[in-house]
Amino acid sequence: MRLPPAPDHPELRLRHACSRLSYVSHRLTIPGGDLRVLQPSEAAELPDDGPVEWAPLMPYWAVLWRSGVALGRELANSRLVGLRVVELGCGLGVPSVVAARAGAEVLATDGSDEALELVERNARENGVEVATARVDWTAADDLVARGPFDLVLAADVLYERASVALLLSLLPRLGGEVWLADPGRPAAEAFLEQARRRWPLTETVRDGVGIHRLRPAL
Ligand SMILES: C[S@@+](CC[C@H](N)C(=O)[O-])C[C@H]1O[C@@H](n2cnc3c(N)ncnc32)[C@H](O)[C@@H]1O
């Protein structure tokens, strides 16, 4: 069961902000055409240029992280027509929207309902549709049942140690290739060290963000 947030919890404050339609609009330069991304205005001033010490101030999904933007730019060079794509921890959903624009059938997932509402809206603002589903990596059987997917996307999802084991176990159950964008979080290093031992992995860098391509297998 999901308990409601305490009255002074940032998520609740953010919900009020969302219900007042308090958004800022960003125009992102992406190969193939600019992308318009709406973001809760309360999260707009938060920097994404170092350790996430300000983390308790806002839910993570509401921030426009540089990893999501870098993964979106990387995807924009790919031909994705007809592919089944799932994004984990999508937040504002930049990679999902770019993948849909490139012709993929996209399922954007996150643990937060508020994120999913905004991703659907961000997709519409850019003339595409993405399906959404609330998925927590601790209980992802329903998502696995919707697979296999051709491509799994995830940007800046490894900032907590607990996520390392969760994603090492979930990713091979989803099928296909994984593109994981990460700005160098310590937990991501721990994940990659183990992933390299298990699966083929190639790495590139875009806009200072690591783009790790894995082929997980059970
Ligand atoms: C740092 S944000 C990154 C958001 C987005 N991928 C981006 O790059 O802009 C991490 C995201 O992962 C989601 N998340 C964290 N732990 C999760 C879990 N156990 N299950 C599902 N989503 C989770 C958060 O809600 C948040 O949207």
Side-chain angles (χ1 to χ4, degrees), residues 157-165 182 184-194:
V157 293
L158 282 153
Y159 47 87
E160 285 177 346
R161 290 272 162 181
S163 303
V164 173
D182 183 82
R185 309 270 184 227
E189 253 326 300
F191 169 91
L192 290 168
E193 202 181 302
Q194 296 194 52

Side-chain angles (χ1 to χ4, degrees), residues 60-61 63 65 67-68 87 89-91 110-111 135-137 155-157 159:
Y60 285 171
W61 69 261
V63 176
W65 300 92
S67 294
E87 181 173 6
C90 63
D110 200 282
V135 175
D136 194 296
W137 313 324
D156 209 348
V157 293
Y159 47 87

